[in-house]
Amino acid sequence: MTEKSDKSAGQRAGRQQRITDYVVNNGSASAAELAELTGVSVMTVHRDLDELARRGLLRKFRGGVSAQPSTVFESNSEYRLNANVDAKAAIARQALTYVEPGMSILLDDSTSALALAKLLGEVTPLTVATNYLRAIDVLKDVEDVRLIAIGGDYSPTHDAFLGMPCLEAVERLTVDTTFVSTSAMNTELTFHQEPEIVMVKRAMLQSAQNRVLLMDSSKMARTALHRLAPVTDYHRLIVDSSTPEATVEELRNRTEVDVAPL
């Protein structure tokens, strides 16, 4: 790929992320509205919308586009990979301080845990288990990482392995620490919109001696359909510095809280 085409691809990805965020926040938008937002032609916007609809992020209709239901876009790996990137990177850097050479750790299918996976080469040797295909791709060539790929039923939406085979594999593990994230929390509970994901994350929590929750501020204070676990079930919560101070203080009544600077 040439430097020019690489730049063009980066601009397109940034524009599509801006479109997705705008539609998710507003519920729907017209192509003309999005052309004005991004400063490109309506024809270019339609090409972007075709691609976003193909990836399952947005839903096109005559004259415009709307957000997919939350159970779709909030779980979609493509969407999550480009959401709140700076906050997740800061949280991952803080989480790395709790990883020591020789440890065994478990990572869920969250993009917050993926951000941590990208840093693990700094603290090897390690044993790392994960069901997230992107994390497997990141870690497979890292020297001195014993990688355990947790299999199961592959989900294209999550780009991860789920289902009964995944659950059984997780339940057979005992690790030093698990790092997980989820889609929503308030000061008492964590939530997720999909029961299959809840089951896997609960199994991961049960398989670890130490449970660390990674949550960027966009996920608070929110709820989702299914309760995952009380905040008190986690030994430590790591948030970013955009989290309201009052929320942080209330959370500190229930668990240890680190605030990662942005």
Side-chain angles (χ1 to χ4, degrees):
M1 183 178 288
T2 66
E3 183 177 347
K4 183 176 180 181
S5 62
D6 187 53
K7 182 179 179 182
S8 175
Q11 290 173 339
R12 183 171 64 254
R15 185 176 65 246
Q16 290 178 358
Q17 184 62 38
R18 191 176 181 193
I19 288 171
T20 302
D21 289 342
Y22 183 86
V23 176
V24 166
N25 288 331
N26 291 276
S28 63
S30 67
E33 188 179 353
L34 294 172
E36 184 176 352
L37 173 74
T38 57
V40 298
S41 68
V42 171
M43 184 177 295
T44 298
V45 165
H46 275 296
R47 284 197 293 266
D48 286 337
L49 296 181
D50 286 340
E51 183 173 344
L52 292 168
R54 179 184 59 78
R55 288 157 54 190
L57 296 176
L58 301 176
R59 184 171 55 243
K60 285 193 76 174
F61 60 87
R62 185 174 179 83
V65 66
S66 65
Q68 288 279 28
S70 62
T71 53
V72 175
F73 75 76
E74 287 189 356
S75 293
N76 189 291
S77 182
E78 290 277 358
Y79 175 79
R80 292 184 290 119
L81 280 168
N82 296 300
N84 307 300
V85 174
D86 292 341
K88 291 172 184 176
I91 289 168
R93 177 57 60 180
Q94 180 64 26
L96 189 68
T97 65
Y98 298 104
V99 181
E100 298 177 1
M103 286 179 63
S104 58
I105 65 174
L106 183 56
L107 304 178
D108 70 355
D109 70 330
S110 67
T111 50
S112 297
L114 177 63
L116 175 59
K118 295 175 181 178
L119 304 177
L120 292 178
E122 299 177 21
V123 288
T124 55
L126 291 170
T127 297
V128 185
T130 182
N131 67 322
Y132 191 13
L133 188 55
R134 288 185 185 265
I136 292 168
D137 285 339
V138 165
L139 294 166
K140 66 184 181 183
D141 296 320
V142 178
E143 191 174 352
D144 291 329
V145 166
R146 179 194 177 198
L147 177 61
I148 300 173
I150 300 172
D153 299 324
Y154 177 70
S155 165
T157 298
H158 305 88
D159 201 14
F161 299 96
L162 303 170
M164 190 58 68
C166 174
L167 273 174
E168 291 176 346
V170 172
E171 288 170 351
R172 287 194 294 267
L173 297 174
T174 300
V175 298
D176 295 316
T177 303
T178 187
F179 294 91
V180 303
S181 186
T182 190
S183 58
M185 72 175 294
N186 57 29
T187 55
E188 295 182 355
L189 293 164
T190 56
F191 304 85
H192 199 278
Q193 60 272 13
E194 294 176 89
E196 188 174 30
I197 300 293
V198 168
M199 292 171 65
V200 172
K201 290 182 189 289
R202 283 179 179 168
M204 289 182 167
L205 295 177
Q206 290 297 315
S207 295
Q209 297 180 50
N210 295 291
R211 301 182 289 274
V212 181
L213 177 63
L214 313 175
M215 295 291 282
D216 69 76
S217 53
S218 72
K219 300 173 178 179
M220 296 177 274
R222 297 175 57 195
T223 62
L225 184 59
H226 299 283
R227 295 183 178 188
L228 170 56
V231 173
T232 52
D233 276 10
Y234 302 92
H235 296 109
R236 185 171 301 275
L237 165 65
I238 304 177
V239 300
D240 63 81
S241 54
S242 294
T243 307
E245 290 184 14
T247 300
V248 172
E249 289 308 309
E250 193 167 349
L251 287 164
R252 281 182 170 145
N253 292 326
R254 293 175 172 82
T255 189
E256 298 292 326
V257 180
D258 289 5
V259 179
L262 287 173

